[in-house]
Amino acid sequence: MTRTYVDCREMPSGSGCTVAIAADSERELEDAAVNHAVAAHGEHDTPELRRMIRRSFHAGSPPVEQPRSVRA
């Protein structure tokens, strides 16, 4: 089983959120990431939000350093 993660630093946001979430199942990761988006960023749990989150999944564990695509 491959670990999967999503990194909030890669999402378009002005909040500067640095949360990264990893899980062994994609379903568990999706649910945790949606819960974070709703609780921390005021998003609504919609099919589009879930699609956006699933498209942001990566295999492995989140990097310690900020992803290059987000650096100023």
Side-chain angles (χ1 to χ4, degrees), residues 43-70:
E43 297 289 342
H44 296 281
D45 184 350
T46 64
E48 180 55 34
L49 175 65
R50 287 181 175 271
R51 279 190 292 275
M52 183 184 76
I53 287 171
R54 283 192 306 270
R55 285 192 304 261
S56 301
F57 284 2
H58 302 284
S61 296
V64 174
E65 297 295 322
Q66 184 173 6
R68 291 177 189 228
S69 61
V70 177

Side-chain angles (χ1 to χ4, degrees), residues 4-7 10-11 21 25-31 33-34 50-60:
T4 305
Y5 75 92
V6 64
D7 194 328
E10 296 177 346
M11 301 295 174
I21 303 168
S25 89
E26 289 188 359
R27 179 60 190 206
E28 183 180 20
L29 178 59
E30 179 183 332
D31 289 341
V34 168
R50 287 181 175 271
R51 279 190 292 275
M52 183 184 76
I53 287 171
R54 283 192 306 270
R55 285 192 304 261
S56 301
F57 284 2
H58 302 284

Side-chain angles (χ1 to χ4, degrees), residues 2-26:
T2 301
R3 195 113 170 113
T4 305
Y5 75 92
V6 64
D7 194 328
C8 208
R9 297 173 295 185
E10 296 177 346
M11 301 295 174
S13 169
S15 70
C17 184
T18 61
V19 169
I21 303 168
D24 289 337
S25 89
E26 289 188 359

